Amino acid sequence: MNVRALIFDVFGTLVDWRSGVARELRSQLRVSAEEADALADAWRDEYQPAMEEVRASRIPFCKLDVLHRRKLDVVLDRFGHDANEATRRDLTLAWHHLDAWPDVTPALARLRERFLLAPCSNGNISLMAALARRNGWHWDAILGAEHARDYKPKLEVYLAACDAFDCAPH
């Protein structure tokens, strides 16, 4: 088997989403580190149910940023935070400002010497581009949910990523 391209997940795999999201929540809402962690976890707990609404065709496809905003509103209300529109907008973009795990950036640079690289993420293209710029990554493409118009783990998302690189899915 001749491997030409590597596609991979991003949240949790390449970036520390919890610390980055909690950092933004702590800063924007002026809450304790403990409460920021709880808010971040609660927000992330809404992630799969939000995407399941799309996967099950109960709502049309929309970018992850849109789903993140909807679920941020739910979590802020649940925790009793009355953040204004500008704060909610900024918090939604917290996912664009995540830091890579320490070994990721040099590892991706080494892998890119031999392979085409692309995220196959549920994150939208602008989110993946922002993470790449923040962390010094160089993608050969940005693939995943927005490209396939559906969310992982649906098979179509992975097959669309393989097809984009003209690769067999193995």
Side-chain angles (χ1 to χ4, degrees):
M1 171 173 53
N2 182 20
V3 177
R4 293 183 26 240
L6 302 175
I7 61 172
F8 36 80
D9 187 45
V10 175
F11 299 119
T13 305
L14 302 184
V15 297
D16 176 4
W17 67 264
R18 188 174 192 257
S19 295
V21 169
R23 176 188 63 229
E24 296 291 325
L25 288 161
R26 194 170 48 255
S27 171
Q28 294 283 335
L29 299 177
R30 294 179 177 78
V31 296
S32 69
E34 214 171 66
E35 185 173 1
D37 287 346
L39 283 160
D41 290 340
W43 195 3
R44 183 62 176 200
D45 287 347
E46 296 288 340
Y47 182 75
Q48 287 299 331
M51 288 183 297
E52 186 54 34
E53 293 291 310
V54 174
R55 289 189 292 253
S57 300
R58 288 189 287 272
I59 63 172
F61 178 82
C62 57
K63 294 178 182 185
L64 187 59
D65 282 345
V66 173
L67 295 179
H68 273 153
R69 172 55 194 268
R70 288 179 187 163
K71 294 308 179 172
L72 171 66
D73 291 343
V74 168
V75 169
L76 290 179
D77 289 347
R78 185 182 319 142
F79 279 73
H81 288 285
D82 188 26
N84 64 32
E85 178 61 28
T87 299
R88 289 171 188 257
R89 203 173 30 251
D90 288 347
L91 284 172
T92 300
L93 295 177
W95 297 89
H96 291 235
H97 307 148
L98 303 176
D99 296 324
W101 296 109
D103 57 346
V104 168
T105 300
L108 287 177
R110 286 185 59 211
L111 288 169
R112 194 162 185 267
E113 292 172 7
R114 294 189 47 211
F115 305 103
L116 296 170
L117 300 181
C120 185
S121 176
N122 285 326
N124 42 279
I125 292 169
S126 64
L127 197 166
M128 291 298 105
L131 291 177
R133 285 182 153 286
R134 178 177 180 86
N135 292 290
W137 304 334
H138 301 280
W139 306 128
D140 293 297
I142 297 176
L143 305 171
E146 191 173 356
H147 176 74
R149 311 296 291 167
D150 210 340
Y151 286 105
K152 297 184 306 179
K154 286 185 95 174
L155 181 61
E156 293 80 9
V157 180
Y158 301 101
L159 293 176
C162 293
D163 184 60
F165 279 138
D166 296 322
C167 292
H170 49 262

